Amino acid sequence: MKRLVLLVNLIAFFAIGGVIGFHVWTDREHITADAISDVEKLRDALSEQTRQTFTAIDLVLTGVVENVDTANPGSGQFYSLLRKRQDVLAPTFAIFILDEGGRVVATSRTRYPEPFNFSDERMFTAHRDNASLDLFIAPPRKGKVGYAEDQWVVPLSRRMNHPDGRFAGVAAAAVSLDYLPNFYDALRLGSQGIVGVSRDDGMIITRSPFNADFLGHVLTDTKRFSDMLSVSPRGVTRVGFVADSVERIIAYAQVPGFPVVVYAGVSTDERLAAWRKGAILDGIIGVLAIILLGGASIFLVHGVGDRQRQQELRVGQLTKLTGVSTVLLEIGDVSKALQYATDMARELVPCHQAVTSLTEHPSMAQAIHTVSLSEKYAVWRDYDEKPDGSGIYREVCQANKPMRMTQAELEAHPGWRGFGEARDRHPPMRGWLAVPLMTGAGRNLGLIQLTDRLSGEFTDEDQALMMELAHITSAAIHRLKLVDDLRAAADAAERLRAEAEAAGKSEAQARGEVETILTSIRDAVYALDSAWRFSFLNRRAEELLERKAEDLIGRSVWEEFPEAAETVVYEQYHKARTENVDVDFRLYYPPLQRWFDVRAFPQAEGGLTVYFQDVSTWVTQEEQLRQAQKMEAVGLLTGGVAHDFNNLLTVIIGNTEAVLASLDKDSDQYRLVSMIGNAGTRAADLTQRLLAFSRRQPLDPRAVDVNALITDLEPLLRRTLGEQYDISFICHDGIDNALVDPGQLQNAIINLAVNARDAMPKGGSLTVTTAEVLIDQDYIETHVYAEPGRYVMVSVGDTGEGMTEEVRSRAFEPFFTTKDVGQGTGMGLSMIYGFIKQSQGHVIIYSEPGEGTEVKMYLPCAAGSAAPQSGNKTKELLDDGTERILVVEDDMMVRELTVSSLTSLGYDVTAVADGASALALLEVDTSFDLLLSDVILGGDMNGRQVADAARKALPGLKVLYMSGYTENVIVHQGRLDPGERLLSKPFRLADLAEKVRRALDNVD
């Protein structure tokens, strides 16, 4: 009967070849429609961004034209006007004024501009010869003066008139063409995508990819856009570009209010590349896959939607978190910074109440105290009493560790005081999550606490988000408090100098008393007199500047550090003196290869007091934070669909095996179905790699003798690499066992060895090293996500071509690879990253171009535990045909496959679709030997809850879980809970049979 059904299905399949062809055609149309939608969205975003940019510039130029004195446009008073206008225009090099003869008479960059003449430039002649011309966009050109010298700019200009209407000159802005292409590069769709801006007459203003040869020219493709504008101000077309002969789908639009056209395009070939590969596949495989997937998809839609919404929420939270650091750096007040952090805490983790406070005293009493409350707690918004340092707050601040509790756990905690005397005034609580604020040195600054989550209890993900927010907030608060201290020190020094003068003390005595204060400051500090000469440096300043005070006193800062005149230092120091304001900025100074935070305070008689810190480590940590957040977001996106996809693959692989069992191995049908099975296996392997990267694979960590494991791997590594590779093993004696999943560690080492082989195509050396190491605070200063402690280090190094800094920074990203198409998925290092992180370890790459690569994996020690002993611990896996199995699985196709497979093995199988049905069945039938349950179920119960209730009803019942995605149900911190068994989806029928037999026989 099975053979007949299969034959009918195969005949039907061959009969619907035309349907497959139609599917291929419609798929192509959908891809094209998606491409059109993508370029239209990008075009609209570009149009709005360009409109806003040009509007801002035009408003500034209009304001300049309206306020300038045309009789004396070069008056020094216009420098401040232009300077203020310049400050709000990030993409411009300068705003300047040309008189009626074309000479530069005023600029935002300096009070005394050099007398350059632009009378032959289009930005000048266009306005001179056309009184009705409004905003004019001149052809792009290389800058000639100042900051724009030798830089690509596009001038935007407006005409100035004398009161009688005669031409008086031009007000213009030099817009950076580095700024726009850099922005467009990040937006391009695909490697052959294009983004550009042209005038409505077709002249190219800028484009990405950037090509200076085309700037200012009218090409056939851009001319076509200008011609189409007469029909419609926006549209979509397909254009073969003159510049590179690439055909693209292009969306274009005229920017409202400006003679400018923006366009965005995607390569037709690039978008259809995947479709072409898919169309080449045998139609038979396609229709079988569609039949298998179609039915399953109906039952999975609801689960996919819920998980997708959760993933989008989490990614949105991480994206929002990356912007918090930038905002906090711009806030100059501790209270405002704390309020922003408090508001963001409640936004990142939706809850009704968030409170942030700073530690004031060793007693842990809290000082500054900011609150963010929802409308539910509006009546308590005026509550401002500070914690006195007792109770449960104290434990968070003293231990500098996060705490997360349900309301019941909170009220049962010995540190809970119920708000003491303030219990009648304090807002109520429901559940609690608190994270400490602390300095890099580990000193407590305060805490952020949340209560009353909008739905459910606070989670591990919530705690991780708050720890990231606390890290960012701590750094900002510490910096702001330091700035306050520096300001106070500067004021004290100035006050002491004035008092010394008033008391008639000599200049030397006054200077000596001031220097006493400045010398005591831990940060670097130096003073400049009105002629920009050094008048004082403390010891820390000597260390950071790598110069002695006696070599600098009396010398000009611009002569001794000439490179500083080309940086933001020059501009900010002049601003501090001319406007008599404090300035605060960060810069990288190449001669010293350091990042500095600088704070300069103007002093009497034109001098400056400058405080600065080496923040190179902090900048590195910020970059590591951004990278980790990106990796976390990518991990969520890649891992979230695994449960549903693995259900599909379970059905594909299982039914393929059933079909193969009924076919002649020499038949064409057997070959075609085998191809389906192989494709499913490859897809399952890829899914497992994604799970490894996203830290969602179930690990079985145990105490492992790493040296013995590597010794066992040696023959395999030598066979894998070949004779042209020299393999060395340096295994130090006396190291502790590592707490790790041995199978995953073996896979990681093999993956690294294969990568090394590919990096050494002509042969080379591979070295595998083990050692026991201690990660301390100094190491954590530059590797912010490492945890202190003892680790077993496993290093794999090669003498290959090495990596550039760009490649090294992306090496752990999924699907990133430097190999050619078809030579690898780019998942090897990302799997290792996920596995090591999930094992509570740390991994880092050391590599330079031409100098080889070394990957170090730090695995937590399992001191005091013994490595597993070798030997066969299993018994013969025989089926006596007497056991009864209860299957709980809400996916119909997986359920039917599982039942038919177990029934064919002789088991008595009963299957139900959700947990409530299973428990109802156990109330009347207690003769089951094994519960086989999916971890994720429909309804109100998960697999763990069903198993716990079933074990109470039937003590001694064996339990085996199955899942395609690890949840915090039977897996915690990435590790399978003790005593639990898991069958990972997708599984082969042989895997199902073996796991069931082992569970029934209670064999590990």
Side-chain angles (χ1 to χ4, degrees):
M1 185 65 180
K2 285 185 178 180
R3 290 177 180 270
L4 179 61
V5 172
L6 287 173
L7 180 61
V8 170
N9 276 281
L10 287 173
I11 294 173
F13 169 74
F14 285 110
I16 61 174
V19 175
I20 298 301
F22 177 75
H23 168 75
V24 171
W25 177 80
T26 55
D27 194 34
R28 187 182 192 279
E29 293 301 303
H30 287 154
I31 291 173
T32 303
D34 288 344
I36 292 173
S37 175
D38 288 346
V39 295
E40 285 181 327
K41 291 176 182 177
L42 180 54
R43 172 204 63 192
D44 294 343
L46 287 172
S47 177
E48 179 60 19
Q49 186 270 344
T50 305
R51 186 191 68 79
Q52 292 179 3
T53 300
F54 279 34
T55 297
I57 295 172
D58 194 25
L59 287 173
V60 168
L61 293 178
T62 301
V64 172
V65 170
E66 291 175 351
N67 287 280
V68 72
D69 180 1
T70 57
N72 185 18
S75 170
Q77 65 177 318
F78 295 117
Y79 168 72
S80 297
L81 171 67
L82 297 180
R83 176 72 266 173
K84 291 178 180 177
R85 298 295 192 273
Q86 168 71 35
D87 286 344
V88 300
L89 296 180
T92 61
F93 281 112
I95 303 172
F96 53 93
I97 296 175
L98 306 179
D99 65 14
E100 57 192 24
R103 293 176 296 275
V104 177
V105 293
T107 174
S108 62
R109 288 300 184 181
T110 177
R111 191 178 295 276
Y112 306 105
E114 297 182 30
F116 280 90
N117 191 296
F118 290 91
S119 59
D120 59 345
E121 292 288 339
R122 285 284 294 145
M123 67 176 173
F124 179 83
T125 59
H127 289 293
R128 181 194 63 193
D129 299 334
N130 187 351
S132 63
L133 185 63
D134 290 323
L135 180 72
F136 179 69
I137 303 172
R141 59 173 176 79
K142 286 286 187 74
K144 297 180 179 180
V145 297
Y147 286 85
E149 184 174 0
D150 207 37
Q151 303 292 319
W152 277 102
V153 300
V154 57
L156 274 65
S157 56
R158 275 195 169 273
R159 175 186 171 112
M160 299 190 306
N161 290 325
H162 288 295
D164 59 3
R166 289 181 297 109
F167 176 64
V170 171
V175 181
S176 166
L177 282 194
D178 284 335
Y179 171 87
L180 294 177
N182 288 342
F183 175 71
Y184 294 159
D185 284 348
L187 298 179
R188 275 169 41 207
L189 299 170
S191 62
Q192 293 186 331
I194 192 167
V195 174
V197 181
S198 67
R199 282 195 325 211
D200 57 6
D201 61 0
M203 185 205 74
I204 296 175
I205 297 174
T206 187
R207 70 198 295 271
S208 173
F210 185 82
N211 190 324
D213 294 338
F214 302 141
L215 299 186
H217 295 283
V218 177
L219 301 182
T220 301
D221 37 11
T222 53
K223 178 61 177 173
R224 189 175 304 173
F225 300 153
S226 63
D227 293 340
M228 288 187 291
L229 290 177
S230 60
V231 179
S232 173
R234 60 200 301 111
V236 177
T237 186
R238 186 169 293 184
V239 176
F241 270 61
V242 175
D244 53 12
S245 301
V246 174
E247 183 185 85
R248 296 181 175 92
I249 298 172
I250 297 290
Y252 68 93
Q254 180 161 10
V255 177
F258 295 97
V260 174
V261 178
V262 298
Y263 55 93
V266 61
S267 164
T268 306
D269 285 343
E270 197 170 53
R271 271 300 174 99
L272 292 176
W275 171 83
R276 288 192 179 95
K277 291 181 181 178
I280 294 173
L281 294 177
D282 196 298
I284 299 173
I285 298 175
V287 72
L288 286 176
I290 291 170
I291 292 172
L292 291 170
L293 292 173
S297 298
I298 298 173
F299 298 95
L300 295 173
V301 168
H302 68 281
V304 172
D306 291 342
R307 267 182 287 277
Q308 184 175 2
R309 283 188 289 272
Q310 293 172 3
Q311 293 153 20
E312 290 174 350
L313 174 63
R314 176 66 172 163
V315 172
Q317 290 172 320
L318 290 169
T319 303
K320 191 173 297 181
L321 186 61
T322 59
V324 172
S325 179
T326 302
V327 175
L328 283 175
L329 283 176
E330 295 173 353
I331 298 176
D333 178 79
V334 172
S335 296
K336 292 180 180 178
L338 282 178
Q339 187 61 60
Y340 174 76
T342 309
D343 293 336
M344 286 305 303
R346 199 164 67 82
E347 190 171 332
L348 289 168
V349 178
C351 61
H352 288 289
Q353 183 177 184
V355 178
T356 303
S357 54
L358 295 188
T359 301
E360 182 179 47
H361 187 270
S363 68
M364 301 304 167
Q366 306 293 293
I368 299 177
H369 184 95
T370 56
V371 180
S372 179
L373 301 174
S374 71
E375 290 302 318
K376 176 180 178 180
Y377 288 141
V379 70
W380 287 282
R381 283 183 176 163
D382 59 349
Y383 182 84
D384 60 357
E385 295 185 34
K386 315 296 190 295
D388 61 7
S390 62
I392 203 163
Y393 305 112
R394 182 185 188 89
E395 297 197 19
V396 177
C397 295
Q398 282 186 326
N400 270 339
K401 297 289 185 183
M403 294 185 72
R404 185 174 87 249
M405 289 179 279
T406 65
Q407 185 64 17
E409 292 170 338
L410 182 66
E411 294 177 359
H413 194 279
W416 174 249
R417 294 171 36 300
F419 310 118
E421 297 178 355
R423 62 171 50 90
D424 296 330
R425 304 185 303 278
H426 194 286
M429 297 176 70
R430 191 189 68 78
W432 192 59
L433 169 60
V435 294
L437 300 172
M438 52 188 174
T439 66
R443 180 173 62 83
N444 180 264
L445 291 174
L447 77 163
I448 302 175
Q449 53 180 311
L450 308 180
T451 186
D452 203 349
R453 204 178 191 282
L454 293 188
S455 62
E457 302 291 350
F458 292 109
T459 65
D460 290 338
E461 288 78 11
D462 296 339
Q463 181 172 311
L465 274 173
M466 286 301 98
M467 286 297 291
E468 298 290 359
L469 177 62
H471 174 79
I472 296 169
T473 304
S474 298
I477 296 305
H478 183 59
R479 183 169 178 269
L480 286 173
K481 289 172 73 67
L482 180 61
V483 168
D484 290 344
D485 293 343
L486 294 179
R487 175 76 263 183
D491 291 343
E494 180 65 14
R495 184 171 59 253
L496 187 60
R497 184 194 62 78
E499 291 173 355
E501 289 182 357
K505 295 181 179 180
S506 68
E507 182 180 347
Q509 288 176 311
R511 186 169 60 250
E513 293 180 0
V514 171
E515 291 179 358
T516 299
I517 290 181
L518 298 181
T519 301
S520 66
I521 296 174
R522 289 180 298 176
D523 293 293
V525 57
Y526 63 77
L528 302 174
D529 63 19
S530 59
W532 303 107
R533 294 175 302 212
F534 287 99
S535 58
F536 169 78
L537 293 89
N538 70 354
R539 185 180 301 276
R540 182 57 175 159
E542 290 180 307
E543 294 174 357
L544 293 187
L545 296 179
E546 300 179 4
R547 301 282 293 275
K548 293 292 185 182
E550 56 264 29
D551 297 332
L552 294 176
I553 298 298
R555 296 181 178 272
S556 168
V557 64
W558 311 123
E559 293 176 359
E560 297 301 315
F561 298 92
E563 297 85 357
E566 305 299 324
T567 70
V568 68
V569 174
Y570 183 88
E571 178 184 343
Q572 292 295 314
Y573 281 12
H574 276 272
K575 178 180 179 180
R577 282 181 47 173
T578 57
E579 300 180 19
N580 195 34
V581 294
D582 300 350
V583 292
D584 183 10
F585 58 94
R586 175 175 291 177
L587 84 154
Y588 179 74
Y589 191 58
L592 297 176
Q593 296 185 337
R594 285 177 171 147
W595 284 92
F596 292 110
D597 269 355
V598 183
R599 185 84 177 186
F601 304 100
Q603 301 300 343
E605 301 177 359
L608 281 181
T609 302
V610 180
Y611 300 85
F612 59 107
Q613 289 179 296
D614 180 356
V615 293
S616 303
T617 299
W618 169 245
V619 171
T620 300
Q621 291 177 344
E622 280 186 320
E623 180 58 33
Q624 290 178 353
L625 173 63
R626 285 191 292 270
Q627 179 72 4
Q629 289 168 346
K630 179 176 70 173
M631 297 287 273
E632 178 70 12
V634 174
L636 284 167
L637 291 173
T638 56
V641 298
H643 176 267
D644 308 296
F645 193 52
N646 279 329
N647 272 346
L648 299 177
L649 291 173
T650 298
V651 175
I652 292 172
I653 294 172
N655 281 290
T656 299
E657 289 181 330
V659 172
L660 288 173
S662 63
L663 294 176
D664 184 346
K665 291 186 177 181
D666 295 326
S667 66
D668 290 339
Q669 290 86 353
Y670 189 94
R671 179 181 61 84
L672 294 173
V673 176
S674 294
M675 292 174 66
I676 298 175
N678 292 336
T681 301
R682 291 178 62 187
D685 180 64
L686 179 58
T687 304
Q688 186 61 29
R689 290 168 179 258
L690 290 171
L691 286 173
F693 166 75
S694 57
R695 287 170 267 172
R696 298 295 190 273
Q697 62 176 340
L699 299 180
D700 186 14
R702 60 191 71 172
V704 174
D705 183 342
V706 173
N707 286 346
L709 180 142
I710 291 174
T711 300
D712 291 341
L713 272 180
E714 181 177 350
L716 175 60
L717 291 177
R718 294 193 183 278
R719 288 196 304 272
T720 301
L721 268 66
E723 295 180 356
Q724 69 270 39
Y725 296 93
D726 180 23
I727 305 178
S728 302
F729 297 88
I730 305 174
C731 298
H732 291 82
D733 295 330
I735 63 176
D736 277 326
N737 293 330
L739 187 60
V740 69
D741 186 317
Q744 294 295 336
L745 179 57
Q746 286 181 330
N747 289 339
I749 295 171
I750 293 170
N751 262 320
L752 291 174
V754 171
N755 282 351
R757 181 195 63 190
D758 295 342
M760 303 182 292
K762 297 181 180 180
S765 298
L766 178 79
T767 303
V768 181
T769 306
T770 66
E772 187 174 325
V773 298
L774 176 66
I775 290 183
D776 56 16
Q777 193 64 38
D778 290 339
Y779 182 89
I780 293 174
E781 288 290 329
T782 54
H783 301 83
V784 66
Y785 279 95
E787 292 289 338
R790 290 170 53 250
Y791 291 83
V792 175
M793 186 273 292
V794 180
S795 165
V796 179
D798 63 56
T799 57
E801 58 192 19
M803 302 179 184
T804 64
E805 181 178 353
E806 178 184 2
V807 170
R808 189 171 64 251
S809 68
R810 299 188 60 193
F812 288 133
E813 294 181 11
F815 303 115
F816 175 77
T817 180
T818 57
K819 299 176 182 177
D820 293 335
V821 175
Q823 294 186 5
T825 63
M827 288 298 298
L829 285 174
S830 62
M831 286 179 62
I832 294 170
Y833 173 88
F835 155 60
I836 297 296
K837 289 292 186 182
Q838 190 174 346
S839 301
Q840 316 303 316
H842 176 60
V843 60
I844 191 168
I845 298 175
Y846 296 93
S847 185
E848 294 292 339
E851 298 184 6
T853 299
E854 181 181 18
V855 178
K856 290 187 175 183
M857 299 177 287
Y858 296 88
L859 309 167
C861 285
S865 59
Q869 300 298 314
S870 61
N872 184 9
K873 298 192 298 180
T874 64
K875 69 175 184 178
E876 191 76 18
L877 300 179
L878 297 175
D879 178 19
D880 60 10
T882 60
E883 292 93 350
R884 294 194 66 200
I885 301 175
L886 175 58
V887 175
V888 186
E889 169 62 69
D890 65 346
D891 184 280
M892 183 185 72
M893 297 187 72
V894 176
R895 185 168 67 249
E896 290 181 354
L897 173 68
T898 304
V899 171
S900 62
S901 301
L902 293 175
T903 301
S904 68
L905 293 172
Y907 296 110
D908 183 359
V909 183
T910 301
V912 295
D914 54 55
S917 298
L919 297 180
L921 180 61
L922 288 174
E923 289 181 358
V924 297
D925 188 349
T926 60
S927 61
F928 289 99
D929 299 285
L930 173 69
L931 172 68
L932 173 59
S933 175
D934 199 347
V935 172
I936 307 300
L937 298 172
D940 298 330
M941 302 181 74
N942 59 45
R944 178 60 173 270
Q945 292 167 327
V946 173
D948 289 344
R951 281 166 168 157
K952 289 181 179 179
L954 187 57
L957 178 69
K958 307 293 193 307
V959 175
L960 173 62
Y961 295 101
M962 52 183 169
S963 181
Y965 181 70
T966 65
E967 302 279 349
N968 292 336
V969 176
I970 61 169
V971 176
H972 294 85
Q973 287 79 50
R975 303 174 182 184
L976 195 64
D977 290 348
E980 303 294 3
R981 293 181 173 85
L982 176 66
L983 171 63
S984 295
K985 296 179 184 178
F987 50 79
R988 294 183 176 276
L989 301 185
D991 299 328
L992 173 65
E994 180 182 10
K995 285 285 188 179
V996 166
R997 190 67 258 164
R998 285 178 177 270
L1000 286 167
D1001 293 339
N1002 202 26
V1003 176
D1004 291 333

